[in-house]
């Protein structure tokens, strides 16, 4: 069903696009007739809510309601209205079915309650005929029934409360550590101490907007997770990867780089992601701007330090008035025209051209 509906719509869309190329003239074209036939076939096609949602044909059909051809435009708008009515009818039916199911369940519960009441009344009437002792037994049985009902309701309430408490405990974050967790390795413990000392400075460095979030964070837990991630990937810090250890430790402890410390503590940069960062990426924003300027200056100096070009004194610069210039010629016009001369002043880098 979905493939057939999509194929019909694609034929109608292609024919509509071809008809739109011809413009919105009065004379009909074969593409317009082909599009109208496809739209009529779509009008007769058995469509339901699920089919329209899965194929998304209704959304694409709205484009044809703005077609330059009036016949295609009117037929497409009519088809859109029909499909809208189908969707509204099906949603209303689903709502009615749901309400009927709830009413039937309520009726069944009400019927059972009334039947129980009737049985109780009949038992009480029969007991009154036999005597006072029987009346006492019937009242005691009624009390037992009522007690059982109350106990069941209380159990349901207790189960509901326990479920809510379990959901709350699952969503709560782990408790904040009050001290550093050691691993009985002096080298690893020293790295954890240095990291925790640097991360504990963040609440005093951030602005007022982030101070609550920084105070709520756990610097000891973050320090342990960062050191554990480094140890799992690189091994001990005195091994072959000691320079990577030093780079991360330096950037976290750097007093001129509070941004990186804040990102690590607040979780904006995960411990696994820290191991993949380069020194340039861990640097502060000011340092990154300085690095960009240094690279641009080095590139400029490199370009200026190229091999010297031949200069001439045949041309005079109109800006600085000196005669130290370089030039080259190109044939920018037809072959019978003279070449264009491009001149550059060596002193002030002024450019001009002439024929």
């Amino acid at each position: 069903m979905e493939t057939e509906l999509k194929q019909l719509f694609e034929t109608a869309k292609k024919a509509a696009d071809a008809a739109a190329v011809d413009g919105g003239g009065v004379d009909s074209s074969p593409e317009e007739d082909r599009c109208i036939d496809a739209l009529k076939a779509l009008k007769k096609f058995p469509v339901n809510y699920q089919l329209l949602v899965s194929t998304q044909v209704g959304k694409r059909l709205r484009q044809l309601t703005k077609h330059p051809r009036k016949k295609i435009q009117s037929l497409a708008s009519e088809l859109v209205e029909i499909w809208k009515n189908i969707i509204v009818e099906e949603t209303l039916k689903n709502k009615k079915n749901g309400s009927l199911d709830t009413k039937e369940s309520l009726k069944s519960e009400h019927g059972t309650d009334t039947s129980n009441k009737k049985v109780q009344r009949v038992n009480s009437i029969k007991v009154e005929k036999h005597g006072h002792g029987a009346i006492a037994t019937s009242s005691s049985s009624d009390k037992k029934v009522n007690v059982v009902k109350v106990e069941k309701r209380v159990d349901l309430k207790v189960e509901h409360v326990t479920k809510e408490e379990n959901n709350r405990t699952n969503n709560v974050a782990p408790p904040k550590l009050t001290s550093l967790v050691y691993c009985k390795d002096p080298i690893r413990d020293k790295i954890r101490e240095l990291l925790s000392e640097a991360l504990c400075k963040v609440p005093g460095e951030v602005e007022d907007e982030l101070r609550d979030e920084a105070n709520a964070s756990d610097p000891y837990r973050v320090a342990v997770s960062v050191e554990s991630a480094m140890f799992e990937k690189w091994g001990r810090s005195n091994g072959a990867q000691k320079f990577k250890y030093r780079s991360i430790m330096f950037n976290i402890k750097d007093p001129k780089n509070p941004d990186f410390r804040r990102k690590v503590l607040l979780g904006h940069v995960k411990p696994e992601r820290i191991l993949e960062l380069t020194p340039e990426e861990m640097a502060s924003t000011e340092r990154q701007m300085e690095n960009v300027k240094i690279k641009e200056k080095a590139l400029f100096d490199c370009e200026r330090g190229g091999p010297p070009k031949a200069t001439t004194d045949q041309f005079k610069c109109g800006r600085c008035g000196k005669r130290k210039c370089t030039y080259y010629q190109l044939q920018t016009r037809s072959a019978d025209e003279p070449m264009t001369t491009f001149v550059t002043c060596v002193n002030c880098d002024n450019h001009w051209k002439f024929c």
Side-chain angles (χ1 to χ4, degrees):
M1 294 288 287
E2 293 183 1
T3 56
E4 293 178 0
L5 183 61
K6 287 181 179 179
Q7 288 176 359
L8 278 174
F9 179 76
E10 290 297 333
T11 53
K13 186 70 169 62
K14 289 179 181 178
D17 294 338
V21 175
D22 298 336
V26 180
D27 298 334
S28 61
S29 62
E31 290 82 4
E32 183 181 0
D33 297 335
R34 195 179 301 110
C35 179
I36 290 170
D37 294 336
L39 291 174
K40 288 180 179 179
L42 286 172
K43 193 175 180 181
K44 296 178 182 179
F45 193 84
V47 175
N48 55 14
Y49 177 77
Q50 294 180 355
L51 193 60
L52 290 173
V53 171
S54 61
T55 57
Q56 298 292 322
V57 175
K59 293 182 180 180
R60 298 176 63 189
L61 184 63
R62 291 181 181 177
Q63 298 176 0
L64 299 181
T65 57
K66 299 178 182 180
H67 199 272
R69 296 279 182 175
K70 293 184 178 179
K71 292 182 181 180
I72 296 173
Q73 184 179 354
S74 61
L75 190 58
S77 58
E78 184 179 355
L79 185 57
V80 168
E81 291 295 328
I82 292 170
W83 286 355
K84 280 184 182 178
N85 294 328
I86 290 170
I87 293 170
V88 171
E89 289 176 359
E90 289 190 2
T91 51
L92 290 175
K93 285 182 181 178
N94 294 327
K95 288 182 180 179
K96 287 180 180 178
N97 291 329
S99 62
L100 287 172
D101 293 336
T102 53
K103 286 181 180 178
E104 288 177 357
S105 62
L106 291 171
K107 285 181 180 179
S108 63
E109 291 177 358
H110 183 68
T112 53
D113 293 336
T114 53
S115 63
N116 291 328
K117 288 179 181 178
K118 287 180 180 178
V119 170
Q120 289 175 1
R121 286 178 183 176
V122 170
N123 290 329
S124 63
I125 291 167
K126 288 181 180 178
V127 168
E128 285 175 358
K129 288 181 180 180
H130 290 288
H132 296 286
I135 291 170
T137 56
S138 65
S139 62
S140 62
S141 64
D142 292 338
K143 289 179 181 178
K144 289 180 180 178
V145 171
N146 292 328
V147 169
V148 171
K149 288 181 180 179
V150 171
E151 287 178 355
K152 287 182 179 179
R153 290 176 183 174
V154 171
D155 292 336
L156 292 173
K157 288 181 180 179
V158 170
E159 289 178 357
H160 184 65
V161 171
T162 54
K163 287 181 180 178
E164 289 182 352
E165 289 179 354
N166 290 328
N167 293 328
R168 289 176 183 174
T169 54
N170 291 329
N171 294 327
V172 172
K176 188 175 179 180
L177 296 176
T178 57
S179 62
L180 188 63
V181 178
Y182 293 97
C183 62
K184 297 181 180 180
D185 187 346
I187 298 175
R188 294 184 61 187
D189 291 339
K190 185 63 177 178
I191 293 172
R192 292 185 178 185
E193 289 177 358
L194 294 174
L195 289 173
S196 61
E197 288 177 3
L199 294 174
C200 288
K201 297 177 183 178
V202 174
E205 295 174 344
V206 296
E207 298 177 354
D208 296 336
E209 298 176 355
L210 300 174
R211 188 158 296 163
D212 294 336
E213 187 178 358
N215 289 325
S217 58
D218 193 349
Y220 299 114
R221 193 180 297 276
V222 175
V224 171
S225 60
V226 171
E227 190 277 331
S228 300
M230 290 192 292
F231 181 76
E232 289 176 1
K233 187 173 182 180
W234 296 330
R236 297 177 65 85
S237 61
N238 56 358
Q241 306 294 337
K242 61 181 179 181
F243 295 106
K244 294 183 179 180
Y245 269 92
R246 290 179 181 177
S247 177
I248 293 175
M249 296 289 293
F250 173 77
N251 284 283
I252 291 177
K253 296 191 302 178
D254 187 7
K256 296 181 180 179
N257 194 3
D259 295 335
F260 185 63
R261 271 196 302 277
R262 173 179 52 80
K263 292 178 183 178
V264 173
L265 180 63
L266 300 183
H268 298 165
V269 181
K270 300 297 181 182
E272 295 79 10
R273 173 62 180 156
I274 296 172
L275 309 182
E276 300 174 357
L277 296 175
T278 61
E280 291 79 11
E281 292 174 342
M282 288 187 286
S284 62
T285 54
E286 296 179 358
R287 184 61 183 173
Q288 289 178 2
M289 294 295 291
E290 291 178 359
N291 292 336
V292 171
K293 291 179 180 179
I294 291 169
K295 288 180 180 179
E296 291 178 352
K297 185 179 179 181
L299 181 62
F300 179 73
D301 293 339
C302 181
E303 289 179 352
R304 290 183 62 186
K309 299 180 181 179
T311 59
T312 181
D313 56 355
Q314 296 180 3
F315 310 103
K316 184 179 180 180
C317 178
R319 182 186 294 174
C320 64
K322 294 188 177 181
R323 290 184 171 273
K324 194 174 182 180
C325 304
T326 60
Y327 73 96
Y328 62 92
Q329 292 180 333
L330 287 176
Q331 188 69 43
T332 58
R333 297 182 294 174
S334 59
D336 57 346
E337 296 290 336
M339 298 177 70
T340 304
T341 304
F342 297 88
V343 186
T344 303
C345 180
V346 177
N347 185 34
C348 64
D349 201 22
N350 184 24
H351 303 277
W352 71 93
K353 63 181 179 178
F354 63 90
C355 300

